[in-house]
Amino acid sequence: MTDAIESTAADRAVKAKHRKMWALGDYAALAGDLIPTLGPALVRACGVKAGDRVLDIAAGTGNAAIPAALAGADVVACDLTPELLDVGRQLAGKQGAELEWREADAEALPFGDGEFDTVMSCVGVMFAPHHAATAHELVRVCRPGGTVGLLNWTPEGFIGRMFAAMRPYAPPPPPGAQPPPLWGKEQHVRTLLGDRVTEVEAHRATVEVDRFERPEAFLDYFKAVYGPTIAVYRNIADTPDRVAELDSALVELARQHGCGTGRSTMEWEYLLLTGRRSG
């Protein structure tokens, strides 16, 4: 019993850190500035239509949930971070989208078995630390014959490599945690879903990002706006040499991906995977 209590307390502490991290910066601005097409792409791939009951897990500020609602679906957008949900409500109101916003942990969803026709996540569930628990939950709440749809950054793409560059400067991950970009590997996701999801279709694609004319502009933007980057820099704030090392690594990474080489368009790779809930 003591071990269980300690495990639960440790998990609560991890989730509290995640909430705090994603509340940093301005994720809504980043999603709108850089990746506004990803949510609609996932909604189309899932075949969301009017009347469908849809759950968007780790929905953030509604990059996928709002397009699904505008398509006529009955949508619940859930996320661990209430600050993101508050912004999402405002964005939905401005666009005339009606949907439900719920605070929820992707690893322990407060929904019944088979409650939704479509369960999806757009660069969201990949950041839950325990992949198997997350996969179990997203399949559990999807009805038999319903659609599971996931869009996640690949390890080999720009964002996956950015997280790899930041990892040595971040606090140690909690026990049992797995790297987020593994959700961008098709075989990893297939293994997580197992035979509970059939008719799996997966392909890699890229989103074009043309906001940054110089690598340094990319660095400044992410240090100001993106919660995980802000958190990593806070972790090393007292060690200027390490800050300079990470600055250099991220600037070079942006340069390698086409930023500041006479063109400003970068291509960020993701994996889009859909399937049918078996049973």
Side-chain angles (χ1 to χ4, degrees):
M1 178 65 71
T2 300
D3 289 345
I5 292 173
E6 289 177 351
S7 176
T8 301
D11 186 66
R12 286 198 297 267
V14 168
K15 300 302 168 60
K17 289 181 180 178
H18 274 230
R19 289 188 190 98
K20 183 178 180 180
M21 177 183 73
W22 287 106
L24 297 172
D26 189 346
Y27 185 77
L30 183 146
D33 290 342
L34 307 183
I35 55 171
T37 60
L38 293 190
L42 178 59
V43 170
R44 289 192 299 270
C46 291
V48 172
K49 61 185 184 300
D52 285 350
R53 178 78 166 153
V54 175
L55 176 65
D56 184 10
I57 306 175
T61 55
N63 193 30
I66 292 174
L70 292 174
D74 179 9
V75 180
V76 177
C78 69
D79 198 277
L80 190 66
T81 305
E83 291 88 345
L84 297 183
L85 298 176
D86 290 341
V87 176
R89 290 187 187 93
Q90 297 174 20
L91 294 174
K94 292 177 181 178
Q95 297 179 53
E98 296 185 2
L99 61 157
E100 181 181 352
W101 301 85
R102 291 277 300 275
E103 185 176 343
D105 181 352
E107 297 178 1
L109 294 171
F111 307 109
D113 295 355
E115 189 171 334
F116 297 92
D117 300 304
T118 295
V119 178
M120 62 182 185
S121 183
C122 183
V123 295
V125 295
M126 64 183 294
F127 295 106
H130 304 107
H131 294 190
T134 301
H136 171 80
E137 283 295 275
L138 67 90
V139 173
R140 178 184 66 79
V141 299
C142 185
R143 68 166 175 81
T147 299
V148 172
L150 300 166
L151 192 156
N152 294 304
W153 302 118
T154 66
E156 301 84 2
F158 178 76
I159 297 297
R161 292 187 62 190
M162 183 185 77
F163 273 93
M166 294 192 302
R167 189 177 304 126
Y169 303 90
Q178 293 175 280
L182 283 179
W183 281 91
K185 295 184 73 70
E186 179 180 346
Q187 188 54 53
H188 180 71
V189 181
R190 284 180 176 270
T191 300
L192 288 172
L193 300 177
D195 59 6
R196 296 170 297 173
V197 175
T198 62
E199 301 179 36
V200 173
E201 296 183 8
H203 71 275
R204 294 187 177 207
T206 59
V207 59
E208 292 189 350
V209 176
D210 61 1
R211 181 181 178 90
F212 309 113
E213 294 184 359
R214 299 177 299 107
E216 293 80 6
F218 151 77
L219 177 65
D220 291 343
Y221 183 92
F222 266 69
K223 288 173 73 170
V225 171
Y226 193 48
T229 306
I230 296 170
V232 168
Y233 272 97
R234 287 187 177 182
N235 185 58
I236 59 174
D238 294 334
T239 53
D241 289 348
R242 302 195 77 203
V243 171
E245 287 175 1
L246 183 53
D247 282 349
S248 179
L250 293 180
V251 165
E252 179 58 26
L253 180 63
R255 184 176 289 112
Q256 291 173 4
H257 281 75
C259 186
T261 56
R263 59 187 178 90
S264 59
T265 299
M266 307 170 72
E267 293 188 351
W268 296 359
E269 186 182 60
Y270 61 86
L271 175 74
L272 177 56
L273 182 146
T274 59
R276 294 287 179 188
R277 170 74 161 92
S278 62

